[in-house]
């Protein structure tokens, strides 16, 4: 993968990264913890995961993660399950030793609308190993996106990634055997900057 391990050291002032689906949750987690907003499209085939049960007085709502965002699970009369995306009011950033990001969400309800915050960065509880499966309990950065793909902002950012992908493709095709004629990363970067 061409993405530098510590992009902030190489590009001071960087605030966001858009990348393709090669960037998985394990790659996004340290970037998000360093304070970056990371946008990638959602991988296909991820099954909805239970996130939490929200309770407030007589109200209770089962929250799941589906298609990169928090959803309310609804079961229809015929037994089919539907996941309704909850509107994200704001992406909140809180700085401490490691940056934390939250979605401020509204759960529409017949009794009253509920507002809550859901972390979209990896938590210590997420990293714990489940003894029964010997896997990480919940890969939050794989299932949740800071900017959900199927939103206005997500559709706009997806276009940036497609533009950069076509530029990379043209760059690869402009050299024989798809190899940059340079020795070392610094020389290759100089050629790429010249191409751009």
């Amino acid at each position: 993968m061409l993405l530098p391990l510590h992009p902030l050291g190489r590009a001071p002032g960087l605030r966001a990264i858009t990348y393709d689906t090669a960037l998985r949750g394990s790659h996004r987690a340290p970037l998000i913890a360093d304070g970056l907003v990371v946008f990638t499209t959602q991988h296909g085939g991820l099954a909805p995961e239970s996130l939490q049960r929200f309770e407030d007085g007589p109200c209770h709502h089962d929250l799941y993660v589906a298609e990169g965002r928090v959803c309310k699970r609804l079961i229809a009369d015929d037994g089919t399950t539907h996941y309704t995306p909850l509107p994200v009011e704001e992406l909140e950033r809180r700085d401490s030793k490691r940056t934390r990001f939250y979605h401020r969400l509204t759960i529409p309800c017949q009794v009253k609308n509920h507002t809550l915050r859901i972390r979209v960065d990896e938590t210590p509880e997420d990293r714990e190993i489940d003894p029964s499966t010997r896997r990480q309990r919940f890969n939050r950065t794989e299932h949740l996106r800071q900017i959900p793909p199927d939103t206005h902002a997500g559709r706009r950012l997806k276009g940036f990634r497609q533009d950069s992908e076509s530029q990379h493709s043209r760059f690869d095709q402009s050299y024989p055997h798809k190899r940059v004629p340079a020795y070392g990363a610094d020389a290759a970067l100089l050629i790429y900057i010249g191409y751009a």
Side-chain angles (χ1 to χ4, degrees), residues 1-67:
M1 182 176 297
L2 295 175
L3 190 68
L5 293 176
H6 300 288
L8 290 175
R10 294 177 181 252
L14 183 68
R15 295 288 174 249
I17 293 175
T18 182
Y19 212 78
D20 63 13
T21 54
L23 207 62
R24 301 300 298 244
S26 59
H27 304 114
R28 282 190 299 272
L31 296 172
I32 293 169
D34 284 340
L36 294 173
V37 174
V38 182
F39 177 78
T40 60
T41 54
Q42 183 69 16
H43 291 279
L46 287 176
E49 290 267 339
S50 176
L51 182 63
Q52 72 181 57
R53 184 176 179 92
F54 177 81
E55 295 182 0
D56 183 16
C59 306
H60 59 277
H61 304 279
D62 293 323
L63 302 181
Y64 279 70
V65 179
E67 297 179 21

Side-chain angles (χ1 to χ4, degrees), residues 26 29 46 49 53 55 66 72 78 93 109-110 119-120 126 131 142 144-145 153 155 157 169 184 192:
S26 59
L46 287 176
E49 290 267 339
R53 184 176 179 92
E55 295 182 0
K72 183 177 169 182
D78 61 358
R93 175 189 166 138
C109 180
Q110 294 175 349
R119 278 186 68 176
V120 292
D126 295 338
E142 181 72 20
L144 269 177
R145 296 292 184 273
R155 287 187 291 275
L157 288 171
S169 177
Y192 188 77

Side-chain angles (χ1 to χ4, degrees), residues 126-141:
D126 295 338
R127 288 189 289 271
E128 290 177 1
I129 302 299
D130 186 351
S132 61
T133 62
R134 294 195 174 115
R135 299 179 74 194
Q136 189 173 315
R137 287 196 185 274
F138 182 57
N139 192 345
R140 187 176 301 260
T141 52

